[in-house]
Amino acid sequence: RKGQDVRIASQLGILMDSNKATSSTPGVVVVASTNSVDAIDPALRRYGRFDIETDVTVPNKKERLQILELYTRKIPRNSCDLESIAASCNGYVGADLWALCREAIKSAIRRSLIAKKDVKKDSSLTMEDWKNASSLVQPSITRGITVEIPDVTWNDIGGLKDVKTKLRQAVEWPMKHPAAFSRLGITPNRGILLHGPPGCSKTTLAKAAANAANVPFFSLRGDSSSSSSAASERLLSTLLTEMDGLEEAKGVLVFAATNRPYLLDAALMRPGRFDMILYVPPPDLEGRLEILNVHTRRMKLQSDVDLRKLAEDTELFTGAELAGLCREVGTAALRENIDASVVFDRHFQIVKNALNPSLTKEAIDSYSSFRKTSSRSGCLE
Ligand SMILES: Nc1ncnc2c1ncn2[C@@H]1O[C@H](COP(=O)(O)OP(=O)(O)OP(=O)(O)O)[C@@H](O)[C@H]1O
Ligand SMILES: [Mg+2]
């Protein structure tokens, strides 16, 4: 395939080079489209070949309205608020909207058939039709993503008392006390950015928040391996348009997590986008003790195991490393005796001594320094 691709690309290049317009021959305009512009041979993307590039992105609310109007222009829709339908169709692309309109129209026709009316003359769209349609047509971007309510709860996360409290307030208060929010004229948070060293439960916190709110969680990963700045810029701009689109969508909260917050664009930090920024630190002594407790809940511990002493001896360990330690301890006990049902302190010692924490004091300082600079500017948290 690869060789064939290269041959086709160079053939196309040759054809385009020989396609110079003269005054007598106006020439040919070549228009091409792609889903992955980065996969296009750079030789084709230079001046003289494909020298104009435009991004055709996911439609915004206004564009969605225009598309809906276009596909329903032949059927009366007097009682429908197309604008609110467009607002609720976040993430739908043109093809999705077309499918949505088709299903809505089908539903309207079905209704007039049942009522024995003249389909051509008497069909008209109602909000009910749109409801039927949207239960059938989901935005294609979410196809293949399993959307589930995570089973992680706040109790599965050790330590991080302050972070948990702030998250609970941001997630649970707007649901439990909507009247209080409207009384004081405040709007709930729209975006929460968690930052801090790897393995310290940023993702787990987001899952626990989704669980508490009883809403599905799905995660998108800004691929860290694609260091191409064009790719990350596109991701960023998609995120920004999406977040602006969410202004109308009530009850949507965007969580983002990063280990490198200083790489994020200032545009993302604008109030109204990520309006709460929380540092998720590595666990302190009490935090480590709680994490060890969480991950040994289902383990039988011999009385010589002193988790507090272990917490003291595991400074710089992240939550992920402590979780890994507990997992390994069970294996160590089994390695000694395949019939073992209890773990001893010696198993903890063996595993702990074989582990080296990946964090250092300096690394932690640099992770937490973003918090200091950002809170000094006074616009965050
Ligand atoms: N405070 C904690 N309490 C209990 N378990 C924890 C805690 N922190 C981390 N863990 C364990 O470590 C695992 C990894 O944590 P998580 O994926 O949430 O880290 P993260 O901060 O999102 O890391 P990354 O930056 O690499 O994405 C969790 O599945 C959990 O088992
Ligand atoms: Mg994570």
Side-chain angles (χ1 to χ4, degrees):
R1 278 256 354 245
K2 190 90 199 160
Q4 199 185 356
D5 283 354
V6 172
R7 267 202 308 282
I8 292 174
S10 61
Q11 187 64 36
L12 187 57
I14 293 168
L15 286 171
M16 289 175 83
D17 287 346
S18 63
N19 174 33
K20 292 276 169 304
T22 58
S23 50
S24 55
T25 58
V28 176
V29 177
V30 183
V31 180
S33 69
T34 177
N35 294 322
S36 44
V37 73
D38 291 326
I40 304 287
D41 190 332
L44 287 177
R45 296 177 66 184
R46 66 157 175 77
Y47 184 75
R49 291 176 186 155
F50 291 109
D51 43 18
I52 298 175
E53 293 183 359
T54 57
D55 250 346
V56 183
T57 53
V58 177
N60 62 24
K61 190 182 127 192
K62 208 173 121 210
E63 291 159 342
R64 290 198 298 270
L65 178 61
Q66 291 168 347
I67 296 170
L68 290 174
E69 280 169 347
L70 187 70
Y71 286 124
T72 55
R73 64 179 187 269
K74 288 194 182 141
I75 181 165
R77 42 167 202 242
N78 5 16
S79 64
C80 316
D81 179 4
L82 272 197
E83 211 156 309
S84 79
I85 297 163
S88 69
C89 288
N90 230 290
Y92 283 69
V93 296
D96 300 331
L97 293 168
W98 172 71
L100 189 74
C101 292
R102 196 186 46 194
E103 289 303 330
I105 293 170
K106 271 202 224 159
S107 160
I109 292 175
R110 211 171 301 128
R111 224 164 2 85
S112 43
L113 280 177
I114 290 169
K116 299 207 166 29
K117 286 192 194 153
D118 184 338
V119 171
K120 268 221 156 118
K121 265 197 284 170
D122 296 326
S123 298
S124 72
L125 285 174
T126 66
M127 283 313 257
E128 198 56 33
D129 296 323
W130 288 107
K131 235 171 80 194
N132 293 340
S134 62
S135 70
L136 293 171
V137 182
Q138 303 297 317
S140 45
I141 196 169
T142 60
R143 217 164 283 155
I145 300 178
T146 43
V147 185
E148 280 173 14
I149 300 174
D151 53 9
V152 181
T153 69
W154 298 118
N155 291 334
D156 296 321
I157 299 169
L160 298 172
K161 220 164 145 245
D162 293 349
V163 176
K164 283 203 265 183
T165 307
K166 282 188 180 150
L167 286 180
R168 295 185 79 140
Q169 291 171 357
V171 173
E172 293 173 14
W173 282 7
M175 292 193 309
K176 287 194 185 138
H177 314 285
F181 275 76
S182 56
R183 189 170 60 237
L184 294 176
I186 44 176
T187 49
N189 287 92
R190 290 181 45 213
I192 298 180
L193 176 70
L194 304 173
H195 69 98
C200 293
S201 79
K202 296 180 296 296
T203 303
T204 314
L205 284 164
K207 285 186 178 166
N211 174 290
N214 202 27
V215 294
F217 167 93
F218 65 89
S219 76
L220 303 169
R221 178 177 283 270
D223 195 354
S224 49
S225 65
S226 78
S227 51
S228 134
S229 68
S232 49
E233 245 163 57
R234 236 192 348 271
L235 185 75
L236 186 69
S237 77
T238 311
L239 187 60
L240 289 179
T241 355
E242 281 301 306
M243 288 194 80
D244 287 341
L246 290 179
E247 212 147 357
E248 271 83 10
K250 283 214 176 80
V252 176
L253 185 58
V254 178
F255 270 87
T258 178
N259 300 320
R260 288 169 294 173
Y262 38 88
L263 286 186
L264 288 181
D265 201 280
L268 272 180
M269 303 304 198
R270 211 183 68 180
R273 285 176 178 164
F274 289 105
D275 43 18
M276 181 186 263
I277 296 186
L278 294 176
Y279 175 57
V280 183
D284 57 9
L285 176 62
E286 287 308 312
R288 292 195 298 276
L289 180 58
E290 282 183 32
I291 295 171
L292 288 170
N293 271 317
V294 166
H295 289 281
T296 53
R297 265 194 308 225
R298 281 181 214 88
M299 229 181 242
K300 232 188 234 153
L301 302 180
Q302 182 59 238
S303 58
D304 69 343
V305 176
D306 182 352
L307 290 184
R308 177 165 286 276
K309 176 79 178 46
L310 260 164
E312 281 165 10
D313 293 343
T314 44
E315 224 200 312
L316 297 181
F317 276 58
T318 65
E321 285 165 341
L322 290 172
L325 175 104
C326 295
R327 220 173 14 247
E328 283 292 309
V329 163
T331 323
L334 289 182
R335 212 175 291 131
E336 202 181 83
N337 173 7
I338 194 68
D339 295 320
S341 58
V342 185
V343 297
F344 289 75
D345 182 56
R346 62 171 182 278
H347 301 126
F348 277 94
Q349 296 307 326
I350 296 170
V351 176
K352 189 197 75 198
N353 293 334
L355 284 177
N356 274 322
S358 54
L359 282 178
T360 60
K361 281 230 154 59
E362 298 76 56
I364 295 174
D365 285 345
S366 89
Y367 281 119
S368 62
S369 64
F370 177 77
R371 172 181 55 164
K372 295 200 192 88
T373 45
S374 58
S375 56
R376 205 179 302 134
S377 70
C379 62
L380 306 169
E381 280 195 39

